[in-house]
């Protein structure tokens, strides 16, 4: 176990949710119906698990520990990761702002939800590939054994107020349910996270 073990596992769940959302986009685009419930569930997962749960651990604990170990905050991989978190939030706001109308058959709102869901899916897939393939490998090398132990404990502080360890299990359970609905293989979906190509 290192400071990135839990985060890599969370990436697997995020990528699996992304695969379910992509399947829901394909269904909607193919005329098989806009499954508002899947998009609502996906939005809840992205806001409360991917962002408030997972990104908070990176931003409040892992990235500061990497800075303390000598990695610059500006101009390096940390800056790129932070920028992508911000970009992801802006896409999610677009989805949130249009989902209600999209649920009521508004065609423009639906296409906005689909476009931003795809944009978020593409952004986060590349983001996770970079974290898994570059940043987390660097973290595993430069952090000291005591840093790993401290970070694993500190992640508890990043859990949003009102949430508990069961909240993580709850959201991971939601992903498992959507996998059944959309016929997504979680192992295949998560394997995308290991596909980082340099250059
Ligand atoms: Fe991240
Ligand atoms: Fe991440």
């Amino acid at each position: 176990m290192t400071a990135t073990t839990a985060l890599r596992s969370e990436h697997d769940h995020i990528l699996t949710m992304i695969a379910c959302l992509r399947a829901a986009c394909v269904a909607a685009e193919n005329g098989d119906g806009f499954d508002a419930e899947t998009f609502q569930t996906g939005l809840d997962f992205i806001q409360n698990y991917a962002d408030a749960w997972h990104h908070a651990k990176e931003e409040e604990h892992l990235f500061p520990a990497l800075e303390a170990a000598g990695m610059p905050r500006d101009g390096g991989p940390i800056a790129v990761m932070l920028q992508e978190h911000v970009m992801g939030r802006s896409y999610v706001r677009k989805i949130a702002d249009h989902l209600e109308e999209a649920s009521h058959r508004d065609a423009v709102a639906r296409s906005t939800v689909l476009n931003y869901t795809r944009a978020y899916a593409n952004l986060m897939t590349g983001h996770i590939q970079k974290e898994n393939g570059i940043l987390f490998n660097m973290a595993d090398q430069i952090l000291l054994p005591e840093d790993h132990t401290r970070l694993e404990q500190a992640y508890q502080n990043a859990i949003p107020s009102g949430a508990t360890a069961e909240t993580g299990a709850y959201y991971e359970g939601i992903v498992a349910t959507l996998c059944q609905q959309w016929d997504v293989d979680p192992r295949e979906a998560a394997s995308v996270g290991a596909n980082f190509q340099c250059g």
Side-chain angles (χ1 to χ4, degrees):
M1 292 278 280
T2 72
T4 65
T5 306
L7 301 177
R8 287 178 197 271
S9 156
E10 288 163 9
H11 282 171
D12 290 351
H13 296 289
I14 296 168
L15 287 169
T16 307
M17 173 55 89
I18 282 173
C20 294
L21 289 171
R22 281 196 170 121
C25 287
V26 170
E29 285 155 1
N30 288 348
D32 294 331
F34 180 87
D35 191 297
E37 208 175 310
T38 292
F39 288 100
Q40 266 147 13
T41 305
L43 179 64
D44 178 27
F45 175 92
I46 289 167
Q47 289 176 321
N48 292 302
Y49 182 90
D51 201 30
W53 185 274
H54 174 79
H55 290 158
K57 291 178 188 174
E58 294 175 346
E59 293 183 5
E60 291 169 27
H61 297 289
L62 180 66
F63 297 170
L66 293 175
E67 278 179 71
M71 196 181 282
R73 185 178 179 86
D74 300 321
I78 296 176
V80 176
M81 296 302 104
L82 288 170
Q83 215 172 34
E84 290 181 351
H85 287 182
V86 170
M87 206 181 291
R89 284 176 196 128
S90 73
Y91 295 167
V92 171
R93 265 195 302 277
K94 288 278 188 189
I95 299 168
D97 287 349
H98 292 86
L99 194 48
E100 179 71 29
E101 292 135 291
S103 308
H104 294 108
R105 298 180 172 274
D106 181 305
V108 176
R110 279 192 182 181
S111 88
T112 303
V113 168
L114 295 178
N115 288 343
Y116 279 97
T117 298
R118 282 201 181 278
Y120 178 84
N122 294 341
L123 174 73
M124 257 327 119
T125 301
H127 180 81
I128 287 173
Q129 287 170 337
K130 282 179 262 184
E131 286 184 340
N132 283 353
I134 302 178
L135 189 65
F136 286 8
N137 292 342
M138 291 165 87
D140 288 344
Q141 284 170 13
I142 66 172
L143 294 174
L144 301 170
E146 54 265 38
D147 292 327
H148 290 290
T149 310
R150 181 178 56 76
L151 281 167
E152 280 175 59
Q153 287 163 359
Y155 290 154
Q156 298 307 317
N157 298 329
I159 293 177
S161 61
T164 65
E166 283 77 49
T167 309
Y170 165 76
Y171 281 106
E172 289 165 12
I174 278 181
V175 178
T177 305
L178 277 186
C179 278
Q180 290 184 345
Q181 181 182 342
W182 293 101
D183 199 19
V184 165
D185 176 349
R187 266 177 301 185
E188 201 181 308
S191 70
V192 173
N195 286 349
F196 180 75
Q197 307 277 329
C198 250

